[in-house]
């Protein structure tokens, strides 16, 4: 009798000991993005992030990635998909929905960005100070920018603004489209996945993207010329990106898994992604070796800065009209970029 009692108590204690393990929540996050699985964005940033959260959660939280819009919809709809829970985590460009995120467009103004790692950290800080309301419907995990934009042209290189006159040129965001128009081009807005088809069919004469995008679109096979800007100068354009999570999904996580997400988001992750994109640029550029590359000199870029100034002035005025202090936001963005570039 006593032996049976001890045995049953032992079994009960054993069951109690294993109960937390049995009931430990396992979570699969649906991660949705617009580039293919082979893209540098996936191999250098999204997959490593997924591996870290799996490891730090003892494999209790894992990703199921859906590259190339495999969950449906279009790239401009990704933000809504994170908001509405169609996906748990998305990676997209705020600029794909023109005018919806005006505060962060300051980072897409001409000649703002020189170092993507520092500028990505600055962007995270800037959103916290000036633009949190624009992203209140999701849980931001990171904000970042890409490396220097490059002209990829089918028939002739870009050496001066005059070379762009009358050419149809793809650009990613409202600000860059406006800048291309000021330089004399006819801007054509489209997400990256459409660029290859548009180049091959002659719908556009060229595109501005960083080298990082080259392999995803096979740009090196579709154009003959690559025109960079003087590397000592800030980039003539960059784009902002957001890596965001569905709020309800985050809130549903137990405290320890929330902590794993918290430890893998924020300013540090933003900088890490910016650094990965710089690495990706170097890899993408290697693929263009057989084509012709030129550098647009500093003297010509000074002319471009003057041509682009009305765009900066208009952004400040637009922010003022929306009840913000546009000049303060512009100065704040520049100060944050400079501070992080100096390693402070």
């Amino acid at each position: 009798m006593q032996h049976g009692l001890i045995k049953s108590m032992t079994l009960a204690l054993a069951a109690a000991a294993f109960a937390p393990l049995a009931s430990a929540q396992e979570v699969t996050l649906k991660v949705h993005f617009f580039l293919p699985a082979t893209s540098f964005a996936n191999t250098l940033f999204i997959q490593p992030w997924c591996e870290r959260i799996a490891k730090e959660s003892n494999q209790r939280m894992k990703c199921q990635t859906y590259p190339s819009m495999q969950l449906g919809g279009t790239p401009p709809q990704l933000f809504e998909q994170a908001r509405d829970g169609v996906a748990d985590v998305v990676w997209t460009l705020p600029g794909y929905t023109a005018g919806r995120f005006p505060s962060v467009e300051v980072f897409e103004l001409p000649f703002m960005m020189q170092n993507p790692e520092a500028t990505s950290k600055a962007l995270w800080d800037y959103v916290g100070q000036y633009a949190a309301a624009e992203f209140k419907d999701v849980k931001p995990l990171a904000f970042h920018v890409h490396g220097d934009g490059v002209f990829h042209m089918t028939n002739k290189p870009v050496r001066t603004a005059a070379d762009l006159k009358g050419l149809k040129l793809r650009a990613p965001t409202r600000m860059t489209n406006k800048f291309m128009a000021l330089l004399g081009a006819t801007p054509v807005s489209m997400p990256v996945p459409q660029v290859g088809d548009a180049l091959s069919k002659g719908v556009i004469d060229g595109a501005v993207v960083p080298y990082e995008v080259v392999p995803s679109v096979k740009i090196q096979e579709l154009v003959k010329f690559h025109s960079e800007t003087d590397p000592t100068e800030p980039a003539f354009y960059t784009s902002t990106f957001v890596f965001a999570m569905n709020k309800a999904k985050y809130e549903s996580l137990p405290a320890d898994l929330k902590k794993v997400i918290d430890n893998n988001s924020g300013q540090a992750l933003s900088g890490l992604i910016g650094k990965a994109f710089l690495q990706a640029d170097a890899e993408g550029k290697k693929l263009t070796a057989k084509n012709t590359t030129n550098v647009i000199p500093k003297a010509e870029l000074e002319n471009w800065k003057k041509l682009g100034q009305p765009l900066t002035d208009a952004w400040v005025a637009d922010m003022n009209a929306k009840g913000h202090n546009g000049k303060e936001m512009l100065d704040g963005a520049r100060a944050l970029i400079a501070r992080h570039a100096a390693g402070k």
Side-chain angles (χ1 to χ4, degrees):
M1 175 79 176
Q2 193 174 7
H3 176 73
L5 183 62
I6 290 169
K7 188 177 177 184
S8 62
M9 283 175 66
T10 304
L11 288 170
L13 285 168
F18 283 103
L21 294 176
S23 64
Q25 195 172 337
E26 292 197 0
V27 176
T28 300
L29 299 176
K30 292 182 289 185
V31 182
H32 201 201
F33 51 98
F34 58 91
L35 286 180
T38 53
S39 65
F40 287 126
N42 186 42
T43 60
L44 294 180
F45 140 53
I46 296 171
Q47 282 300 331
W49 182 84
C50 288
E51 287 161 15
R52 283 197 304 276
I53 66 162
K55 184 179 179 184
E56 291 174 27
S57 67
N58 293 319
Q59 306 301 316
R60 286 173 50 218
M61 185 161 54
K62 297 178 183 178
C63 296
Q64 176 66 53
T65 56
Y66 295 89
S68 302
M69 301 304 299
Q70 287 174 0
L71 284 178
T74 63
Q77 293 170 331
L78 280 163
F79 188 84
E80 273 74 27
Q81 291 186 353
R83 182 195 67 191
D84 299 340
V86 174
D88 299 315
V89 177
V90 303
W91 175 68
T92 189
L93 288 80
Y96 277 176
T97 44
R100 178 165 175 185
F101 305 94
S103 298
V104 294
E105 286 183 322
V106 65
F107 280 77
E108 297 176 344
L109 290 169
F111 303 102
M112 287 290 285
M113 192 287 298
Q114 188 150 27
N115 176 305
E117 181 179 4
T119 305
S120 295
K121 289 179 180 178
L123 178 56
W124 175 271
D125 291 352
Y126 172 91
V127 171
Q129 288 181 39
Y130 300 105
E134 290 182 0
F135 298 93
K136 66 181 182 350
D137 293 334
V138 297
K139 177 173 176 56
L141 303 176
F143 293 98
H144 73 95
V145 298
H146 60 57
D148 286 23
V150 178
F151 290 92
H152 306 273
M153 311 299 293
T154 53
N155 292 317
K156 68 172 187 174
V158 177
R159 293 192 173 91
T160 68
D163 292 326
L164 291 167
K165 194 160 181 62
L167 295 184
K168 295 191 293 295
L169 195 69
R170 177 270 177 187
T173 66
R174 183 169 73 153
M175 286 297 151
T176 309
N177 273 304
K178 287 180 176 180
F179 186 39
M180 292 301 104
L182 289 171
L183 293 179
T186 300
V188 182
S189 185
M190 64 178 71
V192 161
Q194 295 172 22
V195 169
D197 197 42
L199 282 170
S200 66
K201 290 179 177 172
V203 173
I204 53 177
D205 300 299
V208 292
V209 293
Y211 279 122
E212 160 262 320
V213 168
V214 165
S216 297
V217 186
K218 293 188 167 58
I219 280 177
Q220 76 277 16
E221 298 170 14
L222 299 167
V223 306
K224 296 173 189 159
F225 301 96
H226 309 277
S227 299
E228 306 170 6
T229 50
D230 186 320
T232 64
E233 288 290 300
F236 77 91
Y237 99 96
T238 191
S239 298
T240 60
F241 295 78
V242 59
F243 189 49
M245 188 171 184
N246 174 263
K247 280 178 101 167
K249 186 69 173 183
Y250 173 78
E251 291 302 334
S252 74
L253 297 175
D256 61 333
L257 294 189
K258 274 186 190 165
K259 191 168 188 305
V260 171
I261 294 292
D262 294 345
N263 290 345
N264 288 280
S265 59
Q267 188 207 87
L269 177 64
S270 300
L272 203 65
I273 300 169
K275 191 175 180 181
F277 271 64
L278 194 60
Q279 180 187 342
D281 280 343
E283 293 300 313
K285 183 173 178 174
K286 289 176 187 173
L287 300 173
T288 66
K290 68 178 176 60
N291 297 338
T292 302
T293 300
N294 69 289
V295 177
I296 302 164
K298 182 182 171 76
E300 173 62 17
L301 297 179
E302 291 304 320
N303 178 39
W304 291 23
K305 288 175 187 176
K306 289 177 193 144
L307 290 170
Q309 188 57 43
L311 189 55
T312 300
D313 296 340
W315 180 85
V316 169
D318 182 46
M319 287 295 103
N320 291 343
K322 288 179 165 64
H324 305 295
N325 185 330
K327 178 74 164 56
E328 182 188 315
M329 293 167 79
L330 175 64
D331 291 346
R334 285 176 170 156
L336 285 165
I337 290 169
R339 196 181 86 208
H340 284 291
K344 294 175 185 173

